Amino acid sequence: MVTFFASIVLLIAGYVFYSKFVERVFVINDETSTPAYTKRDNLDYVPMSWWKGNLIQLLNIAGLGPIYGAVAGALYGPSAFIWIVAGTIFAGGVHDYFSGMLSMRHGGAQYPTLVGKYLGKTVKSMINGLSLVLMMLVAAAFTAGPAQLIAQITPLSFTVALILIFSYFLLATILPINRVIGKIYPVLGGILLFMAVAIGVALIFSENPIPNLTLQNLHPGELPIWPLLMVTISCGAISGFHSTQSPIIARTMKKESDGRRIFYGAMVTEGVIALIWAAAGMTFFNGTAGLQEALAAGGPSGVVNEISTTLLGTLGGILAILGVIILPITTGDTALRSSRMILTELMSKFFNMENKTKIILITIPVAIPTFFLATIDYTFLWRYVGWTNQVVASVMLWTGAIYLLRHNRFHWICGIPAMFMTGVVCTYIFYAPEGLGLDYHLSVGIGLALSFIVLIWYITQIIKYRSLHQNEKALKLA
């Protein structure tokens, strides 16, 4: 239990201290007008208070990830706590802050546009397609999950639940952000936080003690921690999906100093939620072997249902299950909204996209395949979400690193986690069943070799920009 409390304290300390350091490196200026005012259109560009932005961002990024992913990651034992804490503070918080603030600095630009500006057109072209695929997979997975749960606890069938959820998705995608999202999400955010706190308090007073830190891999299937844990627990540590969501809120910020509370703050809150559910998974079933049996019997939704109703009773269980339904739905709708915004940015070169009819039409190409993907088994979808998600995260961190290099600032805050995540995704794709399924040691060797090539590229960028800055300094002195 000591490890659990220490982890929460470290996450809070990370927000209080490290987020301020990241903000100083980025350099904010509250005298600069934000896109919410300079480009106001009362659809996506609408000024909102920071606390609304924080709760909306939390609901946008949370989904099933910090619950289902954390429960699955709990199979590895208390080592999951280390990844959640370190990942949130040094990778996820930095990733989310830069994705939001760079978007705001570039007029509310979408993630692929930012990538193109700092990493080139070739990478942008790849990321445009990968981002749309990721968001369709996320929206589908975050539709299938709650639909399955609704079918379990109500008389509605899975198909009817799916249609109802998707109808809401389409409505939230095309309406102004302050109509539905801006009014409902802050309330839902309160429910989410209450649910997490309730589960956490119940765990403290439960019969089984929360396990303390051990570096031993406790996975019953003996799956390796590296790189599987870093992909299994993405939301709650670092998730590339967040970089596709941050521009939604970047377009509503009133001032630049709100960014730390909105983006880094929401990431730390999500880290706490993931920590609580990872602890619940390890504790409630009396070890990782019991958790694996429960996951095999009822899947992640069954595990969450059993934990919630047992620990919190009937009323608390209803609130918890409601939260598990709300979380993914409030991520699925903004996933489609982001898809619509990216397509709008792409198509704006050829068409005027201000017309409401065109906004609806641009949503259809992503809505239809997403609906059909939602009928596929959730666990199958989630396997493919994982790798694409972390590739997107790695590219966003490299985007932040190059931005800092260009501005002669402390680029290591993005470069080091970017290098780490590059190693994760390079190894994962060769080892994972949904990848090439190669031998583990061979996969690690190939992953490290590819990471070394990326490291060489990074060093050349450092040398290039250092030389440019030295020349600029010499010209000024002359």
Side-chain angles (χ1 to χ4, degrees):
M1 194 172 290
V2 173
T3 302
F4 177 71
F5 284 117
S7 297
I8 290 178
V9 169
L10 286 172
L11 284 173
I12 294 171
Y15 172 73
V16 172
F17 299 106
Y18 195 68
S19 71
K20 289 183 179 178
F21 172 68
V22 171
E23 184 183 62
R24 285 198 297 272
V25 171
F26 184 82
V27 184
I28 60 171
N29 181 9
D30 278 345
E31 298 301 316
T32 303
S33 294
T34 63
Y37 295 105
T38 60
K39 301 178 71 173
R40 182 166 186 165
D41 63 0
N42 294 322
L43 175 65
D44 297 316
Y45 294 90
V46 182
M48 289 197 301
S49 60
W50 74 264
W51 65 269
K52 277 190 176 183
N54 172 273
L55 288 173
I56 293 170
Q57 175 75 357
L58 175 61
L59 286 164
N60 286 356
I61 66 177
L64 290 171
I67 298 177
Y68 283 14
V71 167
L75 288 170
Y76 294 90
S79 56
F81 293 156
I82 300 175
W83 169 236
I84 290 170
V85 173
T88 295
I89 295 172
F90 299 109
V94 175
H95 170 280
D96 288 15
Y97 183 80
F98 272 81
S99 63
M101 294 301 287
L102 285 179
S103 174
M104 182 273 304
R105 281 278 174 90
H106 293 82
Q110 290 295 299
Y111 164 68
T113 300
L114 299 176
V115 171
K117 182 172 180 62
Y118 293 100
L119 299 181
K121 292 182 180 179
T122 302
V123 182
K124 178 185 177 181
S125 298
M126 177 192 75
I127 286 299
N128 263 319
L130 190 62
S131 298
L132 288 171
V133 168
L134 172 61
M135 282 183 287
M136 285 190 287
L137 286 170
V138 168
F142 286 5
T143 306
Q148 288 172 355
L149 197 54
I150 290 170
Q152 289 177 12
I153 63 177
T154 71
L156 297 177
S157 68
F158 172 77
T159 302
V160 172
L162 200 63
I163 292 172
L164 289 174
I165 293 170
F166 228 83
S167 298
Y168 163 74
F169 278 7
L170 292 174
L171 188 65
T173 299
I174 62 177
L175 285 176
I177 191 169
N178 59 339
R179 288 280 183 86
V180 176
I181 294 174
K183 291 181 179 179
I184 298 176
Y185 276 32
V187 177
L188 300 182
I191 295 174
L192 163 61
L193 294 175
F194 173 81
M195 178 192 71
V197 170
I199 292 289
V201 172
L203 275 179
I204 294 169
F205 294 100
S206 66
E207 295 180 0
N208 298 329
I210 300 173
N212 282 319
L213 180 63
T214 173
L215 298 180
Q216 182 182 358
N217 182 1
L218 300 181
H219 198 293
E222 298 183 353
L223 294 177
I225 290 177
W226 172 272
L228 298 186
L229 178 60
M230 292 77 192
V231 176
T232 302
I233 302 181
S234 52
C235 296
I238 176 172
S239 168
F241 176 69
H242 298 185
S243 64
T244 68
Q245 301 302 290
S246 295
I248 295 176
I249 305 304
R251 298 181 177 193
T252 70
M253 290 171 57
K254 289 185 174 181
K255 56 184 180 180
E256 292 194 356
S257 58
D258 288 342
R260 184 176 70 90
R261 292 180 286 190
I262 291 172
F263 301 114
Y264 204 107
M267 182 64 241
V268 168
T269 304
E270 189 188 52
V272 172
I273 293 170
L275 197 71
I276 289 170
W277 280 101
M282 297 176 208
T283 306
F284 184 83
F285 298 100
N286 202 24
T288 57
L291 173 59
Q292 187 180 51
E293 291 177 5
L295 285 169
S301 60
V303 166
V304 170
N305 191 11
E306 187 175 351
I307 291 174
S308 302
T309 54
T310 303
L311 290 181
L312 302 180
T314 305
L315 178 60
I318 291 171
L319 285 173
I321 296 301
L322 182 63
V324 174
I325 292 171
I326 289 170
L327 275 170
I329 290 175
T330 55
T331 298
D333 60 4
T334 49
L336 280 184
R337 191 180 188 94
S338 294
S339 300
R340 187 260 296 164
M341 289 163 65
I342 288 177
L343 282 175
T344 299
E345 233 175 56
L346 286 171
M347 300 300 291
S348 62
K349 297 177 182 178
F350 310 102
F351 304 102
N352 176 13
M353 298 308 299
E354 294 180 1
N355 184 280
K356 296 288 184 182
T357 303
K358 291 179 180 178
I359 290 172
I360 296 172
L361 290 175
I362 205 70
T363 307
I364 294 174
V366 290
I368 293 176
T370 301
F371 180 83
F372 285 104
L373 281 171
T375 62
I376 299 174
D377 179 60
Y378 166 82
T379 55
F380 177 82
L381 288 174
W382 194 249
R383 284 165 54 187
Y384 287 92
V385 167
W387 181 74
T388 55
N389 192 27
Q390 300 305 56
V391 170
V392 169
S394 303
V395 174
M396 183 62 238
L397 285 170
W398 284 123
T399 301
I402 297 301
Y403 167 83
L404 292 174
L405 275 170
R406 284 192 183 183
H407 290 82
N408 198 23
R409 295 173 191 163
F410 192 70
H411 56 90
W412 299 109
I413 61 170
C414 288
I416 292 175
M419 201 66 246
F420 179 85
M421 292 308 299
T422 298
V424 167
V425 297
C426 286
T427 304
Y428 185 88
I429 193 60
F430 288 98
Y431 176 68
E434 58 270 25
L436 298 179
L438 300 180
D439 173 76
Y440 176 69
H441 297 290
L442 176 61
S443 300
V444 171
I446 296 173
L448 291 177
L450 291 174
S451 300
F452 183 71
I453 293 171
V454 175
L455 177 61
I456 293 174
W457 167 81
Y458 186 30
I459 292 172
T460 62
Q461 296 301 305
I462 294 172
I463 295 171
K464 168 188 169 182
Y465 283 104
R466 184 177 294 169
S467 175
L468 285 173
H469 294 311
Q470 287 175 346
N471 290 338
E472 288 174 358
K473 187 177 180 180
L475 286 173
K476 287 180 180 178
L477 289 174

Short mmCIF file of all heavy atoms in Angstrom, two decimals, residues 209-241:
data_model
loop_
_atom_site.label_atom_id
_atom_site.label_comp_id
_atom_site.label_asym_id
_atom_site.label_seq_id
_atom_site.Cartn_x
_atom_site.Cartn_y
_atom_site.Cartn_z
N PRO A 209 -4.59 -6.30 0.87
CA PRO A 209 -3.72 -5.11 0.80
C PRO A 209 -3.23 -4.85 -0.63
O PRO A 209 -2.99 -5.79 -1.39
CB PRO A 209 -2.55 -5.48 1.72
CG PRO A 209 -2.49 -6.98 1.66
CD PRO A 209 -3.91 -7.44 1.52
N ILE A 210 -3.11 -3.58 -0.98
CA ILE A 210 -2.55 -3.22 -2.28
C ILE A 210 -1.08 -3.59 -2.27
O ILE A 210 -0.33 -3.21 -1.36
CB ILE A 210 -2.71 -1.71 -2.55
CG1 ILE A 210 -4.19 -1.32 -2.53
CG2 ILE A 210 -2.10 -1.33 -3.90
CD1 ILE A 210 -4.43 0.18 -2.61
N PRO A 211 -0.61 -4.36 -3.26
CA PRO A 211 0.79 -4.85 -3.23
C PRO A 211 1.80 -3.71 -3.33
O PRO A 211 1.56 -2.71 -4.01
CB PRO A 211 0.87 -5.78 -4.43
CG PRO A 211 -0.24 -5.35 -5.34
CD PRO A 211 -1.33 -4.86 -4.45
N ASN A 212 2.93 -3.92 -2.68
CA ASN A 212 4.02 -2.94 -2.74
C ASN A 212 4.97 -3.27 -3.89
O ASN A 212 4.88 -4.33 -4.51
CB ASN A 212 4.78 -2.92 -1.42
CG ASN A 212 4.03 -2.16 -0.34
OD1 ASN A 212 3.45 -1.11 -0.61
ND2 ASN A 212 4.02 -2.70 0.87
N LEU A 213 5.88 -2.36 -4.15
CA LEU A 213 6.73 -2.43 -5.33
C LEU A 213 7.62 -3.66 -5.32
O LEU A 213 8.23 -4.02 -4.32
CB LEU A 213 7.60 -1.18 -5.41
CG LEU A 213 8.57 -1.10 -6.60
CD1 LEU A 213 7.80 -1.08 -7.91
CD2 LEU A 213 9.46 0.12 -6.47
N THR A 214 7.64 -4.32 -6.47
CA THR A 214 8.62 -5.36 -6.76
C THR A 214 8.96 -5.27 -8.24
O THR A 214 8.08 -4.98 -9.06
CB THR A 214 8.08 -6.77 -6.44
OG1 THR A 214 9.02 -7.74 -6.91
CG2 THR A 214 6.74 -7.02 -7.13
N LEU A 215 10.22 -5.45 -8.57
CA LEU A 215 10.63 -5.37 -9.97
C LEU A 215 10.40 -6.69 -10.71
O LEU A 215 10.65 -6.78 -11.91
CB LEU A 215 12.11 -4.97 -10.06
CG LEU A 215 12.45 -3.59 -9.48
CD1 LEU A 215 13.94 -3.31 -9.62
CD2 LEU A 215 11.65 -2.50 -10.17
N GLN A 216 9.91 -7.68 -9.97
CA GLN A 216 9.66 -8.98 -10.58
C GLN A 216 8.47 -8.91 -11.54
O GLN A 216 7.47 -8.26 -11.26
CB GLN A 216 9.37 -10.01 -9.48
CG GLN A 216 9.14 -11.42 -9.99
CD GLN A 216 8.82 -12.39 -8.86
OE1 GLN A 216 8.79 -12.00 -7.69
NE2 GLN A 216 8.59 -13.65 -9.21
N ASN A 217 8.61 -9.56 -12.67
CA ASN A 217 7.51 -9.64 -13.64
C ASN A 217 6.53 -10.71 -13.17
O ASN A 217 6.85 -11.90 -13.14
CB ASN A 217 8.06 -9.99 -15.03
CG ASN A 217 6.96 -10.03 -16.09
OD1 ASN A 217 5.79 -9.80 -15.81
ND2 ASN A 217 7.34 -10.34 -17.31
N LEU A 218 5.32 -10.31 -12.79
CA LEU A 218 4.33 -11.23 -12.23
C LEU A 218 3.29 -11.68 -13.24
O LEU A 218 2.28 -12.27 -12.87
CB LEU A 218 3.63 -10.56 -11.04
CG LEU A 218 4.53 -10.13 -9.87
CD1 LEU A 218 3.69 -9.50 -8.76
CD2 LEU A 218 5.34 -11.31 -9.33
N HIS A 219 3.52 -11.41 -14.53
CA HIS A 219 2.52 -11.79 -15.54
C HIS A 219 2.38 -13.31 -15.57
O HIS A 219 3.38 -14.03 -15.79
CB HIS A 219 2.94 -11.27 -16.91
CG HIS A 219 1.82 -11.24 -17.90
ND1 HIS A 219 1.22 -12.39 -18.39
CD2 HIS A 219 1.15 -10.21 -18.48
CE1 HIS A 219 0.26 -12.07 -19.22
NE2 HIS A 219 0.19 -10.76 -19.29
N PRO A 220 1.16 -13.83 -15.38
CA PRO A 220 0.97 -15.29 -15.36
C PRO A 220 1.35 -15.95 -16.68
O PRO A 220 1.75 -17.12 -16.70
CB PRO A 220 -0.54 -15.44 -15.11
CG PRO A 220 -0.96 -14.15 -14.49
CD PRO A 220 -0.09 -13.11 -15.09
N GLY A 221 1.22 -15.23 -17.77
CA GLY A 221 1.59 -15.78 -19.08
C GLY A 221 3.04 -15.58 -19.42
O GLY A 221 3.48 -15.93 -20.53
N GLU A 222 3.81 -15.00 -18.46
CA GLU A 222 5.24 -14.75 -18.62
C GLU A 222 5.55 -13.89 -19.85
O GLU A 222 6.58 -14.06 -20.51
CB GLU A 222 6.01 -16.08 -18.69
CG GLU A 222 5.88 -16.91 -17.43
CD GLU A 222 6.70 -18.18 -17.47
OE1 GLU A 222 7.27 -18.48 -18.55
OE2 GLU A 222 6.78 -18.87 -16.45
N LEU A 223 4.68 -12.96 -20.16
CA LEU A 223 4.94 -12.02 -21.24
C LEU A 223 5.93 -10.97 -20.76
O LEU A 223 5.87 -10.54 -19.61
CB LEU A 223 3.64 -11.34 -21.70
CG LEU A 223 2.60 -12.27 -22.35
CD1 LEU A 223 1.34 -11.47 -22.69
CD2 LEU A 223 3.16 -12.92 -23.60
N PRO A 224 6.85 -10.53 -21.60
CA PRO A 224 7.88 -9.58 -21.17
C PRO A 224 7.31 -8.18 -20.91
O PRO A 224 6.41 -7.72 -21.61
CB PRO A 224 8.85 -9.57 -22.36
CG PRO A 224 8.01 -9.95 -23.54
CD PRO A 224 7.00 -10.93 -23.01
N ILE A 225 7.88 -7.52 -19.91
CA ILE A 225 7.46 -6.15 -19.59
C ILE A 225 7.80 -5.21 -20.74
O ILE A 225 6.97 -4.40 -21.15
CB ILE A 225 8.13 -5.68 -18.28
CG1 ILE A 225 7.54 -6.45 -17.09
CG2 ILE A 225 7.94 -4.17 -18.09
CD1 ILE A 225 8.18 -6.12 -15.76
N TRP A 226 9.03 -5.31 -21.23
CA TRP A 226 9.45 -4.47 -22.37
C TRP A 226 9.18 -5.22 -23.66
O TRP A 226 9.62 -6.36 -23.81
CB TRP A 226 10.94 -4.15 -22.26
CG TRP A 226 11.49 -3.47 -23.49
CD1 TRP A 226 11.98 -4.08 -24.61
CD2 TRP A 226 11.59 -2.08 -23.74
NE1 TRP A 226 12.39 -3.15 -25.53
CE2 TRP A 226 12.16 -1.90 -25.02
CE3 TRP A 226 11.25 -0.94 -22.99
CZ2 TRP A 226 12.39 -0.64 -25.56
CZ3 TRP A 226 11.50 0.30 -23.54
CH2 TRP A 226 12.06 0.44 -24.80
N PRO A 227 8.48 -4.64 -24.61
CA PRO A 227 7.84 -3.33 -24.61
C PRO A 227 6.32 -3.40 -24.37
O PRO A 227 5.61 -2.43 -24.56
CB PRO A 227 8.10 -2.86 -26.03
CG PRO A 227 7.94 -4.13 -26.84
CD PRO A 227 8.44 -5.26 -25.97
N LEU A 228 5.83 -4.60 -23.95
CA LEU A 228 4.38 -4.81 -23.92
C LEU A 228 3.66 -3.93 -22.90
O LEU A 228 2.57 -3.44 -23.17
CB LEU A 228 4.09 -6.29 -23.65
CG LEU A 228 4.61 -7.29 -24.69
CD1 LEU A 228 4.12 -8.69 -24.38
CD2 LEU A 228 4.19 -6.88 -26.09
N LEU A 229 4.26 -3.73 -21.72
CA LEU A 229 3.60 -2.91 -20.70
C LEU A 229 3.40 -1.49 -21.19
O LEU A 229 2.35 -0.88 -20.95
CB LEU A 229 4.43 -2.91 -19.41
CG LEU A 229 3.89 -2.06 -18.26
CD1 LEU A 229 2.51 -2.52 -17.84
CD2 LEU A 229 4.86 -2.08 -17.07
N MET A 230 4.39 -0.95 -21.93
CA MET A 230 4.32 0.44 -22.38
C MET A 230 3.29 0.64 -23.49
O MET A 230 2.90 1.78 -23.79
CB MET A 230 5.69 0.91 -22.89
CG MET A 230 6.74 1.03 -21.81
SD MET A 230 7.38 -0.60 -21.36
CE MET A 230 8.30 -0.21 -19.87
N VAL A 231 2.86 -0.44 -24.11
CA VAL A 231 1.79 -0.35 -25.11
C VAL A 231 0.45 -0.69 -24.49
O VAL A 231 -0.58 -0.09 -24.80
CB VAL A 231 2.08 -1.27 -26.31
CG1 VAL A 231 0.93 -1.26 -27.31
CG2 VAL A 231 3.38 -0.85 -27.00
N THR A 232 0.44 -1.64 -23.55
CA THR A 232 -0.79 -2.04 -22.87
C THR A 232 -1.36 -0.88 -22.07
O THR A 232 -2.56 -0.58 -22.15
CB THR A 232 -0.53 -3.23 -21.93
OG1 THR A 232 0.01 -4.31 -22.68
CG2 THR A 232 -1.82 -3.68 -21.26
N ILE A 233 -0.51 -0.23 -21.27
CA ILE A 233 -0.95 0.97 -20.54
C ILE A 233 -0.44 2.17 -21.31
O ILE A 233 0.70 2.61 -21.16
CB ILE A 233 -0.41 0.99 -19.09
CG1 ILE A 233 -0.84 -0.25 -18.33
CG2 ILE A 233 -0.90 2.25 -18.37
CD1 ILE A 233 -0.36 -0.29 -16.88
N SER A 234 -1.29 2.71 -22.17
CA SER A 234 -0.96 3.92 -22.92
C SER A 234 -1.69 5.10 -22.30
O SER A 234 -1.07 5.99 -21.72
CB SER A 234 -1.30 3.75 -24.40
OG SER A 234 -2.64 3.33 -24.57
N CYS A 235 -3.02 5.10 -22.39
CA CYS A 235 -3.80 6.11 -21.65
C CYS A 235 -3.52 5.90 -20.16
O CYS A 235 -3.68 4.80 -19.65
CB CYS A 235 -5.29 5.95 -21.92
SG CYS A 235 -5.76 6.25 -23.63
N GLY A 236 -3.07 6.94 -19.49
CA GLY A 236 -2.65 6.80 -18.10
C GLY A 236 -1.15 6.85 -17.97
O GLY A 236 -0.62 6.90 -16.86
N ALA A 237 -0.43 6.87 -19.10
CA ALA A 237 1.03 7.04 -19.09
C ALA A 237 1.42 7.97 -20.24
O ALA A 237 1.82 9.10 -20.03
CB ALA A 237 1.73 5.69 -19.19
N ILE A 238 1.30 7.48 -21.48
CA ILE A 238 1.45 8.34 -22.65
C ILE A 238 0.65 7.72 -23.78
O ILE A 238 0.69 6.51 -24.01
CB ILE A 238 2.92 8.52 -23.08
CG1 ILE A 238 3.01 9.34 -24.37
CG2 ILE A 238 3.64 7.19 -23.22
CD1 ILE A 238 4.41 9.74 -24.78
N SER A 239 -0.10 8.56 -24.48
CA SER A 239 -0.96 8.08 -25.56
C SER A 239 -0.96 9.09 -26.70
O SER A 239 -1.27 10.26 -26.51
CB SER A 239 -2.40 7.91 -25.03
OG SER A 239 -3.31 7.71 -26.10
N GLY A 240 -0.63 8.61 -27.90
CA GLY A 240 -0.62 9.49 -29.07
C GLY A 240 -1.99 10.01 -29.42
O GLY A 240 -2.12 11.07 -30.05
N PHE A 241 -3.04 9.28 -29.05
CA PHE A 241 -4.40 9.74 -29.31
C PHE A 241 -4.63 11.13 -28.71
O PHE A 241 -5.38 11.94 -29.27
CB PHE A 241 -5.40 8.74 -28.73
CG PHE A 241 -6.84 9.17 -28.84
CD1 PHE A 241 -7.46 9.22 -30.08
CD2 PHE A 241 -7.56 9.52 -27.72
CE1 PHE A 241 -8.79 9.61 -30.20
CE2 PHE A 241 -8.88 9.91 -27.83
CZ PHE A 241 -9.50 9.96 -29.06
#
